[in-house]
Each structure stands twice: as structure tokens, then as C-alpha cells.
Amino acid sequence: KAIREVSKVVPKPKPFFPPQKEPYREFSKSRGLIETKIDMADQPKLTRIGLAGLAVMGQNLALNIAEKGFPISVYNRSTSKVDETVERAKKEGDLPVFGFHDPESFVNSIQKPRMIIMLVKAGAPVDQTIKTLSQYMEKGDCIIDGGNEWYENTERREKAMAELGLLYLGMGVSGGEEGARNGPSMMPGGSFEAYKYIEDIVLKVAAQVPDSGPCVTYIGEGGSGNFVKMVHNGIEYGDMQLISEAYDVLKSVGKLSNEELHEVFSEWNKGELQSFLIEITADIFGIKDDKGDGYLVDKVLDKTGMKGTGKWTVQQAADLSIAAPTIAASLDSRFLSGLKDERVEAAKVFKSGGFDDILADQQVDKEKLINDVRQALYAAKICSYAQGMNLIRAKSNEKGWNLKLGELARIWKGGCIIRAIFLDRIKQAYDRNPELANLLVDPEFAKEMVERQSAWRRVVCLAINSGISTPGMSSSLAYFDTYRRERLPANLVQAQRDYFGAHTYERTDVPGSFHTEWFKLAKQANNSRL
């Protein structure tokens, strides 16, 4: 299979001719996906799909698609990225990747109905890319946004594209650079007709999990694919925060070295905590600094960046009145990490407070601490996933998306950043009871929470007494304790609201809404005491 580049000077592209013969596929709304026995020799010699936006994610996804046997056209505003992608394709197996330097030639090189994936920065760049490409597209063609886009933007664009006769998908893609190249988790939402056009491609391109299949499924209508990917990222925020807190407790209180941390996380990755994030954490602790002595992790500035999906998740949770304290705590922690200069000065102010002495005086049993932290991390992670799933269900109910939580857990088992062994058990929980109110009350997870809660409390108490902040673990524990209690002090809060704002309240013994003149009654009571 030849690999070559088509530049601006070529007036008309010489399209790729797929060497194999296969049925021509088309889609009918009334009949679904149908196959007509038309020899490919009778069809235009064009590529199967296009991809615009060739940063590393875009390049890797294009190479992945080509490697799975689908000839692909690629385009980027910066032509050097086009050349770079084509060159990579040559080096990585002479893959059927065809580069184009102008959008018209790019669009015309793709077989109809044309399918073009965009992987560009969310927001205005997406709108600009759509404007550039759509002028050369025809009715029935499809645009697929593979970026981390705000779901309402996807719904707006789908409607705008429908007016032009174009189909539109918002497809979340998780797995980072490595996942894009070797198999990501993919979350396409929007036009079902558009999904059927690309179904055979994404089923092969997505990560493959032996016991549950490709990590992709049609999510639902509208912006559901982008919304699910957004919440996936919110869970990811919580997961990463909890792991960092486990690290902090083990290092700061337990005095574990990087070598010991590497061994601990490697061992954890063989059991119930087995996951991509635990695996890479173990790797990080084993990397020596190539620019000096010691380990690289100790030279990394303690200032965490973010791109916005975690903030969107917390905002949506607030809008839908869904408690997501673990995810919110992870976001707050990133905000505070950004105040590096202020924290340096604050450390000087409070140096006399004896906080360093507290840590120095702590004497702990390392093995017991490691075991406790493992259990605390597992329990807190369940809370993070429970919050994310509840948020997805609330949005699904609001929008009428009819999302299947068990199916989402299935496609997150491979390829994506939050892939973990216990996602299979989350899937099983929702398979047992699709209406499960909360993961915490699934019989299997409830049993594990009870078994681990003592160790969880010990870790949080130890951290507090040592002056180590564990906002993720602490807020997860508070979430668990609040959710499991039949009666909360919320009665007092509602009484206060009625006192100063006449917001009314409900009673436990009589139905209906009530208002009490608290101020008058309090004044009378106070006067009677005089």
C-alpha cells in the first residue's frame, strides 16, 4: 500500500483504491444498515474516512484507523503536521494514510457518504473547522467531533448541520496518546444514522477487552456522548486526587521512600486496585531524574493543570442537585495547588505552629499503614464512581437519553484513563439492578464498604492529626456517612430557613407544608424566662 502526500498544487487528488473487495455499505432509516452486492471496482477510488486536526491525538487516531485496514485522508491547517503524519505512517508499517494540504481536496478524497473526524481544541476552533470543511461537503455527509467539547455546543452544532443536510456526532475519546494509537474508549453520541456509518470502523479501532468486547457503544442522542466523556473526566479527577492523597500519607507520615512506593503501588496493581492510574503511578515512582540526582517525581512542581472538564462536571452536579463531593474536592485541590507562591509564604507564617514537629513525632507501623491506606483508597474510589454515575443518570433523566450505566462501565474497562478491574463489578451491579439508587447500596459494594470503613477512618484521622490534607478521602467518607444515616441535622437548617425567610418546612408526623413565627415565639419564650 503506497503512502504519499497530495499537496496544494495537485488540482485533483488521485484517491486511494482499496486493494480488497467488499460490499458497498449504505444506510436507510427505515431498513437500517444494508449491504448491496456492488463490486468495489465499480465504485470511486476513494478513502474510507477523513481526519482533520493532527496534534498527537489526531495523528495517533489516524494511524490506528489506518492500521485496522481503513484507508484514511488527513488534513491540518498547518501543513507540516500533514507531512509529519504521512511520514509516521510510512515508518510505522506503510499504512494507508493520505495527506492533503487544502480542505477541498481533502473532502473530495473521501468516499460518500463522507465521514470526517475532527480532533481540534474545543470551542471556536471547532466551529471554524466545521465552517472550513462543510462548504465542500454534501447532504448525507457526516462530521464527528472527537474532542472534549461542552455537550450543549454539540447539540447546537447538530441542529445547525441538520439544516445543511449534514449528520453530526459528538464522540468522547479517552485513553490519551497511547490509547488513541492502540485502542481508546470511545463514546459517540448524536445522530444514530451517523453512528451506523462509522460503526464498523470504531468497533475495530476501540480498545478490545477479551471478556466484554470493543470499548465503544452508541451512547445516545444529542450531546450525550460528550456529557458522558465529561463525567468520565470528572471521575478521573477524583481518582487521581485520591491516589495523590494515598501517596502523601505514605510518604509524609509513613516515611516510605520512592523505591518502597514503587513496590507498594506495583503490588496494589495486582489486586482490587488494579487500574491504569495505579499502574502508571508505580511507574512514576521508579523513574530516576536524568538531569540530576534522585527521582524525577520529587522534581516535578506541585502545581496541577486542568482543561475544564472537571469544572464542568462540578457545575453540572450543582445544577442537577447531585452530591459530588469527591470530584469537587479534587477540583478545589487543583485550584489550591495553583497558589504555589502563596503557599510558600503561608508555610513561613505557620512554621512556628509546630506542624513539622507533628510529622516528625509520628510513629507508625508501615505495613499496617500500607494496608489501611489501600482499603481507604478503594472505599473512597467507590464513592467517586458512585457520584459520577448518579450525575450521568440525573442528566439522562432530564434529557430523556435513556443511558445504560452498566454499558458505560463496560466501555470504560479498556482503553480509557479510568480503566480498572472493578469496573466489571460496577457493570454487574447495574446489570443486577438497572434502577440501583447508588453503588453504595449494591449488596456486594455495601459489604466491602462496611469491611473497609474502619481502616478508612484510621487513615483520615491519622492524616488530620498529622496536619496532612486528604480532602478527597475525607469528603468521600463524609459522603458515605451522610448517605448511610437515616436522619441528618438538616431539620435544623430547614428550621433556620423558615425562621429568617419563611421558606416553610415539612413535618415528620403530619403531611403538608408549615410555617412558624419563630421570632415571635422566641420573644415570648425569652420574656417568660425573665
Side-chain angles (χ1 to χ4, degrees), residues 131-378:
K131 182 179 179 181
T132 299
L133 299 177
S134 62
Q135 61 184 312
Y136 305 112
M137 300 177 78
E138 302 174 15
K139 288 185 178 180
D141 291 349
C142 173
I143 295 177
I144 304 144
D145 179 11
N148 284 327
E149 185 55 272
W150 174 240
Y151 81 98
E152 289 182 334
N153 285 342
T154 295
E155 295 182 336
R156 167 179 61 80
R157 290 169 186 144
E158 184 182 9
K159 291 177 182 177
M161 291 299 98
E163 293 176 1
L164 300 176
L166 301 178
L167 304 178
Y168 196 83
L169 280 175
M171 182 171 70
V173 179
S174 177
E177 298 173 10
E178 185 271 338
R181 181 64 183 86
N182 299 306
S185 174
M186 308 174 87
M187 294 152 260
S191 166
F192 182 69
E193 186 176 356
Y195 173 72
K196 296 307 291 187
Y197 284 159
I198 66 162
E199 183 177 41
D200 62 327
I201 296 176
V202 296
L203 286 175
K204 288 187 178 179
V205 168
Q208 309 292 316
V209 176
D211 61 343
S212 59
C215 293
V216 61
T217 191
Y218 175 69
I219 301 297
E221 298 176 346
S224 59
N226 288 121
F227 190 89
V228 167
K229 175 56 164 58
M230 176 198 76
V231 177
H232 162 286
N233 286 16
I235 295 172
E236 179 184 310
Y237 271 52
D239 217 344
M240 295 171 73
Q241 177 64 29
L242 293 170
I243 292 171
S244 73
E245 292 173 15
Y247 154 64
D248 196 10
V249 171
L250 292 175
K251 181 181 177 66
S252 300
V253 183
K255 304 296 189 297
L256 270 71
S257 66
N258 287 319
E259 294 94 330
E260 290 173 314
L261 289 166
H262 171 73
E263 291 175 4
V264 166
F265 277 83
S266 295
E267 189 63 30
W268 284 357
N269 198 45
K270 298 174 184 176
E272 63 190 9
L273 290 173
Q274 184 185 67
S275 64
F276 173 72
L277 286 171
I278 293 292
E279 177 186 351
I280 68 168
T281 302
D283 289 345
I284 288 169
F285 290 130
I287 303 299
K288 296 284 186 69
D289 183 13
D290 61 351
K291 294 180 173 59
D293 296 332
Y295 287 81
L296 182 56
V297 66
D298 297 324
K299 310 291 178 62
V300 176
L301 183 66
D302 55 325
K303 187 174 180 180
T304 308
M306 60 189 131
K307 292 186 176 180
T309 47
K311 182 167 69 174
W312 290 347
T313 303
V314 173
Q315 288 171 336
Q316 279 294 294
D319 287 346
L320 293 166
S321 299
I322 298 297
T326 311
I327 301 172
S330 70
L331 187 65
D332 287 340
S333 294
R334 294 196 183 198
F335 293 155
L336 285 166
S337 78
L339 305 178
K340 177 63 177 178
D341 293 340
E342 291 183 35
R343 289 188 289 111
V344 169
E345 293 305 313
K348 296 175 183 176
V349 170
F350 293 105
K351 191 172 184 179
S352 61
F355 299 106
D356 291 339
D357 295 336
I358 294 174
L359 279 174
D361 293 340
Q362 285 283 3
Q363 299 294 324
V364 296
D365 181 326
K366 276 190 180 183
E367 290 304 316
K368 188 174 187 303
L369 178 62
I370 290 168
N371 187 50
D372 279 355
V373 172
R374 175 184 58 79
Q375 294 185 68
L377 178 55
Y378 182 83

Side-chain angles (χ1 to χ4, degrees), residues 90-107:
K90 290 178 182 177
K91 293 178 179 178
E92 296 184 24
D94 208 24
L95 303 174
V97 175
F98 297 83
F100 295 83
H101 285 179
D102 70 286
E104 183 176 8
S105 296
F106 166 67
V107 172

Side-chain angles (χ1 to χ4, degrees), residues 292-493:
D293 296 332
Y295 287 81
L296 182 56
V297 66
D298 297 324
K299 310 291 178 62
V300 176
L301 183 66
D302 55 325
K303 187 174 180 180
T304 308
M306 60 189 131
K307 292 186 176 180
T309 47
K311 182 167 69 174
W312 290 347
T313 303
V314 173
Q315 288 171 336
Q316 279 294 294
D319 287 346
L320 293 166
S321 299
I322 298 297
T326 311
I327 301 172
S330 70
L331 187 65
D332 287 340
S333 294
R334 294 196 183 198
F335 293 155
L336 285 166
S337 78
L339 305 178
K340 177 63 177 178
D341 293 340
E342 291 183 35
R343 289 188 289 111
V344 169
E345 293 305 313
K348 296 175 183 176
V349 170
F350 293 105
K351 191 172 184 179
S352 61
F355 299 106
D356 291 339
D357 295 336
I358 294 174
L359 279 174
D361 293 340
Q362 285 283 3
Q363 299 294 324
V364 296
D365 181 326
K366 276 190 180 183
E367 290 304 316
K368 188 174 187 303
L369 178 62
I370 290 168
N371 187 50
D372 279 355
V373 172
R374 175 184 58 79
Q375 294 185 68
L377 178 55
Y378 182 83
K381 278 165 65 75
I382 293 174
C383 290
S384 183
Y385 281 78
Q387 293 160 27
M389 289 301 195
N390 284 354
L391 176 54
I392 290 173
R393 176 171 33 218
K395 195 66 177 182
S396 177
N397 291 340
E398 180 191 71
K399 302 286 286 187
W401 286 336
N402 194 31
L403 303 184
K404 308 298 183 186
L405 301 184
E407 181 68 354
L408 299 183
R410 182 192 71 78
I411 67 169
W412 289 346
K413 286 173 60 179
C416 70
I417 303 301
I418 64 171
R419 60 184 183 266
I421 193 171
F422 83 157
L423 276 162
D424 191 51
R425 298 183 50 241
I426 292 177
K427 178 187 182 302
Q428 292 169 8
Y430 286 113
D431 286 347
R432 284 192 295 270
N433 180 9
E435 304 304 318
L436 184 65
N438 193 302
L439 273 177
L440 299 182
V441 295
D442 172 76
E444 287 192 14
F445 283 116
K447 180 174 181 290
E448 291 183 333
M449 297 296 281
V450 170
E451 291 171 348
R452 288 160 176 74
Q453 55 106 14
S454 294
W456 193 3
R457 296 180 196 284
R458 286 195 295 269
V459 170
V460 170
C461 288
L462 176 64
I464 291 171
N465 291 331
S466 302
I468 299 298
S469 62
T470 53
M473 287 190 182
S474 300
S475 61
S476 296
L477 181 57
Y479 176 79
F480 170 68
D481 280 336
T482 301
Y483 190 73
R484 68 173 179 77
R485 292 184 65 195
E486 182 178 349
R487 184 167 175 83
L488 298 172
N491 56 315
L492 177 58
V493 176

